[in-house]
Short mmCIF file of all heavy atoms in Angstrom, two decimals:
data_model
loop_
_atom_site.label_atom_id
_atom_site.label_comp_id
_atom_site.label_asym_id
_atom_site.label_seq_id
_atom_site.Cartn_x
_atom_site.Cartn_y
_atom_site.Cartn_z
N LEU A 283 0.83 -1.20 0.00
CA LEU A 283 0.00 0.00 0.00
C LEU A 283 0.85 1.25 0.00
O LEU A 283 2.00 1.23 0.43
CB LEU A 283 -0.90 0.03 1.24
CG LEU A 283 -1.82 -1.15 1.46
CD1 LEU A 283 -2.61 -0.95 2.75
CD2 LEU A 283 -2.75 -1.36 0.29
N GLN A 284 0.27 2.33 -0.44
CA GLN A 284 0.92 3.64 -0.38
C GLN A 284 0.75 4.18 1.03
O GLN A 284 -0.27 3.94 1.69
CB GLN A 284 0.26 4.58 -1.38
CG GLN A 284 0.87 5.96 -1.41
CD GLN A 284 0.34 6.77 -2.58
OE1 GLN A 284 0.11 6.24 -3.65
NE2 GLN A 284 0.15 8.05 -2.36
N ALA A 285 1.73 4.92 1.52
CA ALA A 285 1.62 5.55 2.83
C ALA A 285 0.33 6.37 2.87
O ALA A 285 0.03 7.10 1.93
CB ALA A 285 2.84 6.43 3.10
N GLY A 286 -0.43 6.22 3.93
CA GLY A 286 -1.70 6.94 4.06
C GLY A 286 -2.92 6.13 3.66
O GLY A 286 -4.04 6.49 3.99
N ASP A 287 -2.73 5.02 2.92
CA ASP A 287 -3.84 4.14 2.60
C ASP A 287 -4.29 3.44 3.88
O ASP A 287 -3.50 3.25 4.80
CB ASP A 287 -3.44 3.08 1.57
CG ASP A 287 -3.21 3.66 0.19
OD1 ASP A 287 -3.47 4.87 -0.02
OD2 ASP A 287 -2.77 2.91 -0.69
N THR A 288 -5.55 3.03 3.94
CA THR A 288 -6.04 2.31 5.11
C THR A 288 -6.56 0.94 4.70
O THR A 288 -7.17 0.78 3.64
CB THR A 288 -7.16 3.08 5.84
OG1 THR A 288 -8.24 3.30 4.94
CG2 THR A 288 -6.67 4.41 6.38
N ALA A 289 -6.30 -0.03 5.55
CA ALA A 289 -6.75 -1.40 5.34
C ALA A 289 -7.18 -1.94 6.69
O ALA A 289 -6.35 -2.11 7.58
CB ALA A 289 -5.63 -2.25 4.74
N VAL A 290 -8.50 -2.15 6.86
CA VAL A 290 -9.03 -2.57 8.16
C VAL A 290 -9.97 -3.76 8.00
O VAL A 290 -10.53 -3.98 6.94
CB VAL A 290 -9.78 -1.42 8.89
CG1 VAL A 290 -8.87 -0.25 9.16
CG2 VAL A 290 -11.01 -1.00 8.12
N VAL A 291 -10.12 -4.49 9.09
CA VAL A 291 -11.06 -5.60 9.15
C VAL A 291 -12.17 -5.24 10.13
O VAL A 291 -11.90 -4.82 11.26
CB VAL A 291 -10.37 -6.90 9.61
CG1 VAL A 291 -11.37 -8.04 9.73
CG2 VAL A 291 -9.24 -7.28 8.67
N ASN A 292 -13.41 -5.37 9.67
CA ASN A 292 -14.59 -5.13 10.50
C ASN A 292 -15.38 -6.42 10.62
O ASN A 292 -15.34 -7.28 9.74
CB ASN A 292 -15.51 -4.08 9.86
CG ASN A 292 -14.83 -2.76 9.64
OD1 ASN A 292 -14.19 -2.23 10.53
ND2 ASN A 292 -14.96 -2.21 8.45
N ILE A 293 -16.15 -6.53 11.70
CA ILE A 293 -17.12 -7.61 11.86
C ILE A 293 -18.49 -6.96 11.69
O ILE A 293 -18.81 -5.99 12.39
CB ILE A 293 -17.02 -8.28 13.25
CG1 ILE A 293 -15.57 -8.66 13.58
CG2 ILE A 293 -17.96 -9.46 13.32
CD1 ILE A 293 -14.93 -9.62 12.63
N ILE A 294 -19.28 -7.48 10.74
CA ILE A 294 -20.57 -6.85 10.45
C ILE A 294 -21.72 -7.84 10.64
O ILE A 294 -21.53 -9.05 10.52
CB ILE A 294 -20.61 -6.25 9.03
CG1 ILE A 294 -20.42 -7.33 7.96
CG2 ILE A 294 -19.56 -5.16 8.87
CD1 ILE A 294 -20.63 -6.83 6.54
N ASN A 295 -22.90 -7.30 10.93
CA ASN A 295 -24.11 -8.10 11.06
C ASN A 295 -24.49 -8.63 9.68
O ASN A 295 -24.57 -7.86 8.72
CB ASN A 295 -25.23 -7.23 11.65
CG ASN A 295 -26.51 -8.01 11.83
OD1 ASN A 295 -27.18 -8.36 10.86
ND2 ASN A 295 -26.86 -8.25 13.08
N ALA A 296 -24.72 -9.93 9.57
CA ALA A 296 -24.98 -10.55 8.27
C ALA A 296 -26.31 -10.13 7.67
O ALA A 296 -26.48 -10.18 6.46
CB ALA A 296 -24.93 -12.07 8.40
N THR A 297 -27.25 -9.70 8.49
CA THR A 297 -28.57 -9.32 7.99
C THR A 297 -28.65 -7.84 7.65
O THR A 297 -29.14 -7.46 6.59
CB THR A 297 -29.65 -9.65 9.04
OG1 THR A 297 -29.55 -11.04 9.37
CG2 THR A 297 -31.04 -9.35 8.52
N THR A 298 -28.14 -6.99 8.54
CA THR A 298 -28.32 -5.54 8.38
C THR A 298 -27.09 -4.84 7.79
O THR A 298 -27.18 -3.67 7.42
CB THR A 298 -28.61 -4.89 9.74
OG1 THR A 298 -27.46 -5.05 10.59
CG2 THR A 298 -29.84 -5.50 10.39
N ASP A 299 -25.96 -5.51 7.75
CA ASP A 299 -24.68 -4.93 7.33
C ASP A 299 -24.16 -3.86 8.28
O ASP A 299 -23.22 -3.14 7.97
CB ASP A 299 -24.74 -4.35 5.91
CG ASP A 299 -24.83 -5.44 4.85
OD1 ASP A 299 -24.44 -6.59 5.14
OD2 ASP A 299 -25.27 -5.14 3.73
N ASP A 300 -24.78 -3.75 9.47
CA ASP A 300 -24.27 -2.82 10.49
C ASP A 300 -22.95 -3.35 11.03
O ASP A 300 -22.77 -4.56 11.21
CB ASP A 300 -25.26 -2.68 11.65
CG ASP A 300 -26.54 -1.98 11.25
OD1 ASP A 300 -26.51 -1.19 10.26
OD2 ASP A 300 -27.57 -2.20 11.90
N VAL A 301 -22.03 -2.44 11.31
CA VAL A 301 -20.74 -2.83 11.88
C VAL A 301 -20.93 -3.17 13.35
O VAL A 301 -21.43 -2.35 14.12
CB VAL A 301 -19.69 -1.71 11.71
CG1 VAL A 301 -18.40 -2.07 12.41
CG2 VAL A 301 -19.45 -1.44 10.23
N ILE A 302 -20.57 -4.39 13.72
CA ILE A 302 -20.64 -4.83 15.12
C ILE A 302 -19.37 -4.42 15.85
O ILE A 302 -19.42 -3.87 16.94
CB ILE A 302 -20.83 -6.36 15.21
CG1 ILE A 302 -22.14 -6.77 14.54
CG2 ILE A 302 -20.77 -6.83 16.65
CD1 ILE A 302 -22.27 -8.27 14.33
N VAL A 303 -18.23 -4.71 15.24
CA VAL A 303 -16.93 -4.34 15.80
C VAL A 303 -16.11 -3.74 14.67
O VAL A 303 -15.82 -4.40 13.68
CB VAL A 303 -16.18 -5.55 16.39
CG1 VAL A 303 -14.91 -5.10 17.08
CG2 VAL A 303 -17.06 -6.33 17.36
N ALA A 304 -15.74 -2.47 14.81
CA ALA A 304 -14.97 -1.78 13.77
C ALA A 304 -13.48 -1.96 14.01
O ALA A 304 -13.02 -1.95 15.16
CB ALA A 304 -15.32 -0.29 13.77
N ALA A 305 -12.76 -2.13 12.93
CA ALA A 305 -11.29 -2.17 12.95
C ALA A 305 -10.73 -3.14 13.99
O ALA A 305 -9.90 -2.78 14.80
CB ALA A 305 -10.71 -0.78 13.13
N VAL A 306 -11.19 -4.40 13.93
CA VAL A 306 -10.61 -5.41 14.81
C VAL A 306 -9.15 -5.65 14.43
O VAL A 306 -8.37 -6.18 15.22
CB VAL A 306 -11.39 -6.75 14.80
CG1 VAL A 306 -12.76 -6.59 15.40
CG2 VAL A 306 -11.43 -7.37 13.42
N TYR A 307 -8.80 -5.25 13.22
CA TYR A 307 -7.42 -5.35 12.74
C TYR A 307 -7.18 -4.23 11.75
O TYR A 307 -8.03 -3.94 10.91
CB TYR A 307 -7.19 -6.71 12.06
CG TYR A 307 -5.84 -6.85 11.41
CD1 TYR A 307 -4.70 -7.04 12.19
CD2 TYR A 307 -5.69 -6.77 10.03
CE1 TYR A 307 -3.44 -7.17 11.60
CE2 TYR A 307 -4.44 -6.91 9.44
CZ TYR A 307 -3.32 -7.11 10.22
OH TYR A 307 -2.09 -7.22 9.65
N THR A 308 -6.04 -3.58 11.87
CA THR A 308 -5.62 -2.56 10.91
C THR A 308 -4.29 -2.99 10.33
O THR A 308 -3.31 -3.18 11.06
CB THR A 308 -5.47 -1.18 11.60
OG1 THR A 308 -6.73 -0.83 12.19
CG2 THR A 308 -5.07 -0.12 10.60
N ALA A 309 -4.25 -3.18 9.02
CA ALA A 309 -3.03 -3.63 8.35
C ALA A 309 -2.01 -2.51 8.35
O ALA A 309 -2.35 -1.33 8.24
CB ALA A 309 -3.34 -4.07 6.93
N ASP A 310 -0.76 -2.87 8.46
CA ASP A 310 0.34 -1.91 8.47
C ASP A 310 1.32 -2.30 7.37
O ASP A 310 1.69 -3.46 7.25
CB ASP A 310 1.02 -1.94 9.83
CG ASP A 310 2.09 -0.88 9.96
OD1 ASP A 310 1.99 0.16 9.30
OD2 ASP A 310 3.03 -1.09 10.74
N ASP A 311 1.72 -1.33 6.56
CA ASP A 311 2.61 -1.61 5.43
C ASP A 311 3.76 -0.62 5.44
O ASP A 311 3.62 0.52 5.88
CB ASP A 311 1.84 -1.52 4.12
CG ASP A 311 2.66 -1.89 2.92
OD1 ASP A 311 3.49 -2.82 3.03
OD2 ASP A 311 2.50 -1.27 1.87
N SER A 312 4.87 -1.03 4.88
CA SER A 312 6.06 -0.18 4.82
C SER A 312 5.90 0.96 3.82
O SER A 312 6.62 1.94 3.87
CB SER A 312 7.27 -1.02 4.42
OG SER A 312 7.10 -1.50 3.09
#
């Protein structure tokens, strides 16, 4: 990724698509 790009993992409700837990993981790149 380019510096400043964001890459995150969210857990979402399968029915409503609402985010249950935001950014359980944030990827980090050189």
Side-chain angles (χ1 to χ4, degrees):
L283 304 179
Q284 181 170 323
D287 289 354
T288 59
V290 299
V291 178
N292 301 311
I293 310 300
I294 62 172
N295 181 289
T297 304
T298 64
D299 289 338
D300 292 335
V301 175
I302 298 168
V303 186
V306 293
Y307 174 74
T308 302
D310 186 27
D311 184 37
S312 66

